[in-house]
Amino acid sequence: MTFKKPSRKSSGVPAESKKKTSSKAEKTALNLEKTLLQYLQGKRYKPSSSEELIQQLAIPEIHQPLFHEILSSLESNNLIARQNNKYTLPSTAQLATGPISVNKKGFGFVRMGEGPDVFIPKHSMMDAVDGDTVEIEINPTVTAKGPEGTVVAILKRSRTHLAGTVLKKTGRHYVAYAPLLGKDKPVIVKAKGVDLKEGDRIICKVQDWNNEDELVEGELSRLIGHISDPSIDIQAAIEEFELPDGFTKEALAEAEEYGSKVTAKDLKGRTDLTDWESVTIDPDTARDYDDAISLMLVENGHYLLGVHIADVAHYVKPGSHLDQEALLRCNSTYFPGQVVPMLPEELSNELCSLKPKVKRLTQSVLAEFDSKGNLVDYQIHRSCIKSQKRFTYKEALAVLENKKKSPHAPLLNRMVDLCHLFKKKRMERGSIDFSMPDDVIMVNEKGEPVKIERIEYDITHQMIEEFMLKANEIVAIHLAKKRTGLIYRVHEQPTAESFKDFYAFARSLGFSMPAEPTHRDIQKLFQEARSSPLLPQLSVSFIRSMRLACYSPDNIGHYGLALEHYCHFTSPIRRYTDLVIERLLFDEFPENADLNGIATACSEKERISFRAESSVVLLKKLRLANTYFQEDPTRIYPAIVTRVKPFALFFEVPAFDLEGNLHISKIGNDYFEFNQELMNFRGRRSGKVYTAGQNIEVRLDKIDYILQQTEWSMISSTEIRPAKKKR
């Protein structure tokens, strides 16, 4: 027995009666002990205090003293453990601490200083939210997702406030949806003296992360506006994801002190490349040009490539107010029609931006390549250039296609030739080329979406990417040879297990794959799919099967690029890691600086910026879809099936670049069965099959701005009617 037995001292009660009483007490204790241990072993159990356990197990008041005695006895016998006054089962698993990243589906990953991230299932989160510092138990067994663990304590909350949208009023309080928590965990909001309505976007101060009803309680701090107003979408995202907005007076003063022109003092000791033919090629909307290209053919038939990067390190000194602000952000965040910059505009859009016809300070990688694209020699200089032309991608393509004349046409054609050599070398080493177009949502001055513009990944994009990749690789190798610590851009090699779903998906699309595919087989697959309409679905599935690239002072290589050494150097205006690399190149990085801490912070902020950008883009797409819906609610849209799961069919609507889904019960007037091997649905009566890559037609039924969801209906051939005049 693990509990303390009742006392055997005489109490004047007859022996037979005492025996019955003792037996009953022992039986009660055994039942309580058994119930407690079974409850603690449950998958959904979260560490709880004694009072919480009494409430959760509905222990009668008369048995509560005995229950406390059982807890104490079990703990003393190491059958249960207590930490932060919360009880749990003891474990041989390893304890670890780190920040947690939470997926919108409810599961999370805890980032370790060394080793792979630890996967945390939804039922093991213990109310942790994105960015919290948590203590976890790492399970001894490793799953297909890698190491798995359970949150046992929340050591530090990542925030004190939450952004949300009001769903309804209940009594004196309001219920709000907070994207950070997900739709399964609403927030109860107190709003004294303020009359809120459904759709109001608010900021509330958290008062209780987990009340007795397992809900979050908060108090209204600020009303941002209503969800129907597109002009506040970006401001709401800045608040929701806690992005730094605006710069300190001290940082702005430092930026202004540099003036607007490069001075003679700035040029001292630099290599003068102002007479070189250099150009920038950027998107139409770009305002910060941090890279310029020059390319010459030398007498021996070799190429001399110059990749000139804005010398941000010249202006942003370690420990300065500008440096503190840049490290706080770690990167610029790009929204439709607006950017939250890492540096003040006096630098990002002016003095550091490689504008045409003006002198600009740069760090230049000058690399010589032979006629086959092999690197022969290189030099890295602090330099000064004068860009001769600011090309957009569209303008450069027009020149290459002889639709527009330019004195820089020979330069652009040389760039194409070298690009093809680099692409060939990249394919030889096993890199995978997706070459997918990018859909960009365009907005007007009011933040209203007006259209989705498809940006093709044409040769102009490819050649700039190849030159940036080559410069980044050269710099990484150069610093590694110097035995200088640096921040690598790393991409962990996935396990064969993580690719199983991707292989099955590729086969379901009709692509041939061997029983045990190699990296070369995957590369060949994407070469075959390049001209296929199924390439986007294939690429997305492949990306989902891999870990995300991140920053690290430890070099584990870059799987996606098939490179042993790689870092980010070419965008110091918008990425802090690139600024660090610039300092390392010329020994201006403080010796006591924490490279690991900077790498971790930059990886985290990159992820937050991506989520913020994606959130706004999705809402803009929903707004665009709603304009069509208001014009004609019966409009029918072509769609492409992207995935088939046992419970639903997922599809993409190209008109809005939106993904939707249909529950299996809404697919058609038939009983559809899921085939795990073929990853498709087949109608039992009709024999109708739905599989990935298939074209279907759908109708939009409902749009929910608050939850950012859509509802659709499948259209059968008998329902299709002549379409009204299109927009």
Side-chain angles (χ1 to χ4, degrees), residues 633-647:
T634 64
R635 190 190 301 265
I636 295 171
Y637 301 96
I640 304 169
V641 178
T642 55
R643 288 176 292 155
V644 179
K645 297 288 185 178
F647 59 89

Side-chain angles (χ1 to χ4, degrees), residues 522-576:
I522 298 175
Q523 188 184 48
K524 182 180 177 183
L525 168 68
F526 278 97
Q527 286 177 306
E528 292 175 357
R530 187 172 299 170
S531 58
S532 168
L534 302 175
L535 177 63
Q537 287 78 41
L538 196 67
S539 300
V540 169
S541 177
F542 181 73
I543 292 168
R544 281 176 175 157
S545 66
M546 295 192 298
R547 292 285 180 88
L548 294 175
C550 63
Y551 297 106
S552 173
D554 302 316
N555 186 22
I556 62 172
H558 197 292
Y559 171 79
L561 297 174
L563 288 174
E564 184 179 349
H565 295 84
Y566 190 69
C567 70
H568 273 169
F569 158 71
T570 53
S571 297
I573 292 177
R574 61 184 180 91
R575 290 191 304 234
Y576 192 79

Side-chain angles (χ1 to χ4, degrees), residues 670-673 681-690:
D670 199 347
Y671 181 82
F672 284 89
E673 297 175 322
F681 285 136
R682 176 181 288 274
R684 180 180 291 180
R685 187 184 68 255
S686 64
K688 177 69 176 176
V689 174
Y690 290 104

Side-chain angles (χ1 to χ4, degrees), residues 402-643:
N402 297 317
K403 296 177 181 178
K404 186 175 181 179
K405 292 185 178 180
S406 170
H408 304 291
L411 168 63
L412 295 177
N413 280 291
R414 287 195 297 272
M415 290 166 69
V416 171
D417 293 340
L418 185 58
C419 170
H420 286 313
L421 293 177
F422 285 172
K423 283 174 69 68
K424 183 180 179 182
K425 301 289 287 186
R426 183 141 72 106
M427 294 302 289
E428 287 173 356
R429 68 173 186 258
S431 179
I432 296 168
D433 184 13
F434 296 117
S435 301
M436 289 197 304
D438 187 22
D439 289 330
V440 178
I441 190 147
M442 312 300 289
V443 298
N444 60 21
E445 294 179 356
K446 297 178 181 179
E448 298 167 337
V450 293
K451 66 175 180 177
I452 292 177
E453 183 174 334
R454 171 151 288 199
I455 309 297
E456 296 295 338
Y457 187 72
D458 58 45
I459 187 61
T460 60
H461 293 78
Q462 294 171 39
M463 62 193 191
I464 293 301
E465 181 186 26
E466 290 298 331
F467 299 154
M468 297 304 113
L469 291 176
K470 188 59 67 176
N472 287 334
E473 182 189 8
I474 290 172
V475 167
I477 294 173
H478 175 79
L479 288 175
K481 285 180 178 177
K482 284 179 63 177
R483 302 197 176 186
T484 302
L486 70 143
I487 296 177
Y488 292 94
R489 182 65 169 179
V490 297
H491 188 207
E492 188 177 351
Q493 181 171 346
T495 62
E497 185 71 23
S498 64
F499 271 146
K500 278 188 175 180
D501 286 346
F502 169 70
Y503 297 150
F505 180 73
R507 293 186 184 106
S508 75
L509 294 180
F511 293 101
S512 176
M513 296 287 287
E516 296 183 4
T518 65
H519 189 77
R520 292 290 180 183
D521 292 321
I522 298 175
Q523 188 184 48
K524 182 180 177 183
L525 168 68
F526 278 97
Q527 286 177 306
E528 292 175 357
R530 187 172 299 170
S531 58
S532 168
L534 302 175
L535 177 63
Q537 287 78 41
L538 196 67
S539 300
V540 169
S541 177
F542 181 73
I543 292 168
R544 281 176 175 157
S545 66
M546 295 192 298
R547 292 285 180 88
L548 294 175
C550 63
Y551 297 106
S552 173
D554 302 316
N555 186 22
I556 62 172
H558 197 292
Y559 171 79
L561 297 174
L563 288 174
E564 184 179 349
H565 295 84
Y566 190 69
C567 70
H568 273 169
F569 158 71
T570 53
S571 297
I573 292 177
R574 61 184 180 91
R575 290 191 304 234
Y576 192 79
T577 51
D578 303 50
L579 172 57
V580 169
I581 296 299
E582 285 196 328
R583 291 170 177 167
L584 288 168
L585 281 172
F586 295 95
D587 302 317
E588 294 179 349
F589 191 72
E591 291 184 6
N592 60 346
D594 181 11
L595 278 175
N596 187 63
I598 293 173
T600 300
C602 289
S603 296
E604 172 66 12
K605 293 297 177 67
E606 177 185 51
R607 186 184 63 85
I608 291 173
S609 287
F610 175 77
R611 291 183 62 188
E613 293 164 354
S614 299
S615 174
V616 173
V617 167
L618 176 57
L619 184 52
K620 296 298 186 187
K621 290 177 180 178
L622 293 176
R623 294 191 188 283
L624 182 62
N626 192 51
T627 60
Y628 282 72
F629 182 74
Q630 295 300 322
E631 288 179 0
D632 182 6
T634 64
R635 190 190 301 265
I636 295 171
Y637 301 96
I640 304 169
V641 178
T642 55
R643 288 176 292 155

Side-chain angles (χ1 to χ4, degrees), residues 49-66:
S49 66
S50 58
E51 297 306 318
E52 289 170 337
L53 285 169
I54 286 172
Q55 185 178 19
Q56 292 161 10
L57 295 173
I59 306 296
E61 187 175 352
I62 190 172
H63 295 321
Q64 289 178 14
L66 179 58

Side-chain angles (χ1 to χ4, degrees), residues 17 27 46 105 153 210 272 295 340 353 422 430 442 444 453 524 706-707:
S17 177
K27 188 175 182 181
K46 296 180 292 187
K105 294 181 180 178
N210 191 24
D272 187 355
L295 182 60
V340 179
S353 186
F422 285 172
M442 312 300 289
N444 60 21
E453 183 174 334
K524 182 180 177 183
I706 298 177
L707 299 179

